[in-house]
Every structure is written in structure tokens, then in C-alpha cells.
Amino acid sequence: AEDRSALHEVMEQQTASISKGGIVATLNARTSILAAANPMYGKYDPFKNITENVNLPVPLLTRFDLIFVVRDKPSKERDTQIAQHIINLHTPSGIDKKSQIDSETLTKYLAYVKRINPTLTKEAEQKILDYYMKMRNVEAEEMITVTPRQLEGLIRLSTARARLLMKNQVDGDDAQRAIDLLQSMFEDAGIDVNTGKVDLGVLQGRPRSEVSKMQLFMDVMKSLEGEHKSPVEEKQLVEELAKTEKFTEEEAKNFIRKMARDSSIYESKPGHYNIV
């Protein structure tokens, strides 16, 4: 847990602070992080959002510029191709095992392009700004609330593409490719399984559908508690939540347990709850 929290500063500010033996130092940690995570319980549950499938804290997950879900979906054609490829690797007359670019050349190329520091052109600036403001449009029904963190990610991705192509300027095409990548991520990892719609709140651990359910839950709790803050019986709470048609009885029971775990409500006496 301590190592994970230490990554927050590294990933956001690209520095690492060390405090040991009375010495306090801040070191540069300018590196890219490519990470992979297995789903909890060994299989990705398509009926749960990504934050519920991957055992990573939300503050850490949201610091990645791009997040994609790689699902193992059974497909006869694709599975045959993969199996054939693996078999060919182990046969003398199999496929050509040499890469199109040898690793030494690729390493030299990447080392060289790292020296290039492209600057944003007005066209790229405008494209990124337009996309950011469009996604910040809180009045839109299909609103995805992006944050300055995604804006910084867009700039990094645009710059990285320009650098990879050995360009001194980040042009509109670079910005558009970065936007396409980000949009693709939203449509892949940012789908709220409850609504089937894109919602960046999924990546932040609180999709809008869940937030609206929380608000509804708290409204029902407050009305049942009344002015005297009387303990609310679980059975009565489940019935009232089911009446809203936003919860089934099973969902209501699970939501009560979730709210109790999150310390939004507490069990004031056996089988009865109050708002914290």
C-alpha cells in the first residue's frame, strides 16, 4: 500500500520524494509506465465496471493516460489463428521469427527521438482545447466529465506522437490521433455497465448511474428516518427502494451493505440503519 501511494507523486509530478535518516530529497522520476493487471478472481466480469474488476485504487488508476481492457472472448477464427501461430513458433518450418525491425535499431531510434522536444502549433492547441471544452459541456445529456488530468494526458500523447515521427512541431494530425486514442479508451474502459453509456465517472470509481442511485438511496433514508432520526429497519428500507423501480430487492440489499462499508450509513441496532 505504501509503494502504491508513493506512485501517485511519481505519475503525476514525475518526481519522487525521499525522507530517510533526516535527509529529505526530491528526485526526478521521468519515466513512462506500461502496466498490466489481471482481473480479480481470474476472470473479467462484463457486468462490473473496470474499477470493480481490477484491484487497483482509483487514485492510481486515474493517473494512467490510457487504459484499455483486453478481454479473452472465445472466437473460433481468432483462436485458430493464435493457436496456429504458437504451434508454428515451435516447428522448424514455421514462421519467420525475425522481427521487421531488429531490437538494436529500434533502441537507437527511440534513444534518438527522445532528444526531440516538439512544440504545440496553434492548430494542435485549438483541436485539443475544442475537444476538452466539448467534453466539459455539463449541459450535454451524454456528458463525460473530463478533468485537467486528461487534458495534460492529451498534450503528452500528442507530443509523444510528434516525437516518434521526428517532428519539431505537434500538428493537428498529432492532436487528432491523441484525441482518437482517448476517445477509444472512453468507449472501451469507460462504459458504465448499468447504462451502456460512456461515463468517465467509471474510471473514477463513481459512475453517474451509481451517484444517482446514492442520491436516491440517501433521500429514501432521510425520509424514513424523519426529523427524529429514527433507526430504519432494513426490510422497510429494501421495500421503499424497490418501490422506486431503480432497485430490485437483491440490489437494494447489496447497496445497503455497500453504503455501510463506505461508512455512509451505520447499523445503529441489529437490522436497523441510520445515516452517519
Side-chain angles (χ1 to χ4, degrees), residues 11 13 30 37 40 62 111 117-118 125 130 152 169-170 174 176 187 200 210 215 222 239 255 265 267 270 274 276:
M11 294 181 72
Q13 299 170 25
R30 293 171 187 158
M40 289 189 288
T62 54
N117 291 307
E125 283 180 20
D130 288 347
E152 290 175 349
Q169 289 188 318
V170 181
D174 298 318
Q176 187 58 52
E187 293 170 4
L200 189 58
E210 189 174 316
Q215 290 170 342
K222 285 175 184 175
E239 288 174 355
F255 210 83
I265 60 173
E267 194 170 11
N274 281 93
V276 173

Side-chain angles (χ1 to χ4, degrees), residues 20-273:
K20 281 190 177 180
I23 298 172
V24 180
T26 301
L27 307 175
N28 285 329
R30 293 171 187 158
T31 184
S32 301
I33 298 177
L34 176 64
N38 287 323
M40 289 189 288
Y41 314 118
K43 188 172 176 64
Y44 194 90
D45 188 344
F47 300 104
K48 290 183 178 179
N49 292 319
I50 186 169
T51 50
E52 298 170 290
N53 270 293
V54 180
N55 187 24
L56 279 175
V58 172
L60 188 60
L61 196 64
T62 54
R63 278 170 168 78
F64 285 96
D65 290 336
L66 294 172
I67 302 166
F68 291 102
V69 179
V70 182
R71 297 178 179 87
D72 183 16
K73 293 182 179 178
S75 164
K76 186 176 181 181
E77 184 182 349
R78 183 166 174 76
D79 290 346
T80 302
Q81 289 174 345
I82 293 171
Q84 191 62 56
H85 176 78
I86 293 169
I87 291 168
N88 287 341
L89 288 173
H90 295 276
T91 56
S93 58
I95 60 172
D96 183 6
K97 299 177 182 65
K98 289 182 68 179
S99 302
Q100 289 184 329
I101 303 175
D102 64 90
S103 58
E104 187 179 349
T105 303
L106 182 60
T107 303
K108 287 179 179 178
Y109 180 79
L110 293 176
Y112 179 78
V113 297
K114 274 185 178 180
R115 303 175 190 175
I116 303 170
N117 291 307
T119 55
L120 285 169
T121 61
K122 288 292 180 184
E123 182 189 7
E125 283 180 20
Q126 195 59 49
K127 276 204 171 189
I128 291 171
L129 182 62
D130 288 347
Y131 178 76
Y132 179 73
M133 295 309 296
K134 174 188 169 187
M135 303 307 264
R136 288 288 295 180
N137 181 12
V138 294
E139 295 178 1
E141 188 179 344
E142 303 297 324
M143 180 263 296
I144 307 169
T145 309
V146 296
T147 65
R149 189 171 285 168
Q150 277 77 47
L151 178 60
E152 290 175 349
L154 270 175
I155 295 169
R156 280 193 292 269
L157 290 167
S158 305
T159 306
R161 184 178 187 269
R163 184 178 287 129
L164 196 60
L165 297 177
M166 298 177 66
K167 295 194 287 189
N168 292 318
Q169 289 188 318
V170 181
D171 58 27
D173 188 42
D174 298 318
Q176 187 58 52
R177 290 300 181 96
I179 289 167
D180 291 343
L181 275 172
L182 201 66
Q183 189 63 34
S184 178
M185 178 192 77
F186 290 153
E187 293 170 4
D188 179 46
I191 295 289
D192 182 0
V193 294
N194 297 310
T195 62
K197 295 178 181 178
V198 175
D199 181 3
L200 189 58
V202 169
L203 300 175
Q204 297 167 348
R206 285 283 168 86
R208 276 179 296 158
S209 61
E210 189 174 316
V211 171
S212 61
K213 276 188 173 183
M214 284 178 63
Q215 290 170 342
L216 178 61
F217 179 92
M218 296 305 281
D219 288 342
V220 171
M221 273 292 295
K222 285 175 184 175
S223 66
L224 292 174
E225 274 188 336
E227 292 181 6
H228 302 292
K229 306 291 182 184
S230 305
V232 179
E233 187 184 3
E234 182 175 345
K235 183 181 177 183
Q236 184 187 10
L237 179 56
V238 169
E239 288 174 355
E240 290 299 318
L241 289 171
K243 284 179 186 177
T244 65
E245 298 183 353
K246 296 289 184 182
F247 297 87
T248 63
E249 286 195 6
E250 189 61 33
E251 285 173 345
K253 290 175 183 176
N254 290 335
F255 210 83
I256 290 169
R257 286 192 284 271
K258 182 181 183 303
M259 295 294 277
R261 282 198 307 271
D262 293 345
S263 301
S264 297
I265 60 173
Y266 68 98
E267 194 170 11
S268 49
K269 63 181 184 178
H272 293 72
Y273 294 90

